[in-house]
């Protein structure tokens, strides 16, 4: 299983700032999810690494706080907000407080962040982990089958 703390080792995360929710670094990661809607609750599957630029949205402190609450309560892994004065100028204190209260990691990322690279690196990390888990599971199953066939269990 991949956890938010594992993402910190990725090159694509090197310029990200953990703004709040250090107590949320042990949330499990399932996949990246770009969120550019007023409500994200209905799009979450659990373990989402949410990427948000704020483009096309009316950004207020209340809106960002609500998005953090929706994400945390929807079992997302974390949220990454791209910081830009025209869109998400900063992460409000109320959102930070809610993230801490809910054990949810919030990252601030430079506007220049290439979302495709973040999506790719998170996807690759998760895919490789799932492949390793599957290979291990199949190896264990094969070992048990061979032991049974040879009478090693007797």
């Amino acid at each position: 299983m991949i956890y938010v703390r594992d993402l910190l080792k990725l090159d694509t995360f090197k310029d990200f700032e953990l703004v709040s929710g250090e107590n949320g670094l042990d949330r499990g990661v399932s996949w990246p999810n770009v969120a550019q809607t007023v409500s994200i609750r209905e799009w979450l599957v659990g373990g989402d690494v949410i990427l948000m630029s704020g483009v096309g949205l009316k950004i207020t402190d209340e809106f960002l706080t609500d998005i953090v609450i929706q994400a945390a309560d929807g079992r997302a892994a974390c949220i990454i907000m791209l910081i830009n004065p025209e869109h998400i100028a900063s992460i409000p204190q109320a959102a930070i407080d809610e993230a801490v209260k809910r054990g949810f990691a919030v990252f601030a990322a430079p506007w220049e962040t290439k979302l495709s690279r973040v999506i790719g690196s998170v996807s690759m990390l998760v895919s490789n982990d799932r492949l390793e888990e599957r290979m291990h599971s199949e190896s264990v199953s094969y070992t048990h089958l061979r032991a049974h066939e040879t009478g090693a269990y007797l």
Side-chain angles (χ1 to χ4, degrees), residues 1 18 21 32 58-60 65 75 78 101 118 128-129 138:
M1 175 65 134
L18 179 61
K58 185 177 187 291
I59 302 296
T60 63
T65 302
R75 297 183 354 261
C78 63
K101 184 165 72 174
V118 177
N128 286 342
D129 182 67
E138 289 176 4

Side-chain angles (χ1 to χ4, degrees), residues 124-143:
M124 185 68 71
L125 186 65
V126 170
S127 295
N128 286 342
D129 182 67
R130 288 180 182 163
L131 180 60
E132 285 179 23
E133 285 178 7
R134 183 174 176 187
M135 289 173 59
H136 175 74
S137 175
E138 289 176 4
S139 174
V140 168
S141 295
Y142 178 76
T143 301

Side-chain angles (χ1 to χ4, degrees), residues 7-8 11 16 18-20 25-26 32 35 43 48 55 62 66 74 84 87 99 102 105 107 109 113 115 127 137 151:
L7 302 177
L8 301 174
D11 284 344
F16 294 4
L18 179 61
V19 176
S20 70
L25 294 178
D26 291 321
W43 306 109
D48 311 70
V55 173
E62 293 78 18
D66 185 54
N84 179 296
H87 303 290
R102 288 171 162 75
F107 293 92
T113 299
L115 292 182
S127 295
S137 175

Side-chain angles (χ1 to χ4, degrees), residues 100-116:
V100 169
K101 184 165 72 174
R102 288 171 162 75
F104 184 68
V106 177
F107 293 92
W111 180 252
E112 299 76 26
T113 299
K114 303 291 185 216
L115 292 182
S116 60

Side-chain angles (χ1 to χ4, degrees), residues 2-54:
I2 298 298
Y3 299 94
V4 175
R5 73 175 55 260
D6 299 318
L7 302 177
L8 301 174
K9 300 171 191 166
L10 296 172
D11 284 344
T12 51
F13 272 65
K14 74 178 184 310
D15 295 326
F16 294 4
E17 176 189 357
L18 179 61
V19 176
S20 70
E22 196 169 305
N23 55 344
L25 294 178
D26 291 321
R27 282 187 181 229
V29 171
S30 63
W31 63 12
N33 189 343
V34 177
Q36 289 300 116
T37 57
V38 176
S39 174
I40 63 171
R41 186 175 288 110
E42 58 273 15
W43 306 109
L44 299 175
V45 297
D48 311 70
V49 174
I50 301 169
L51 301 152
M52 177 174 264
S53 70

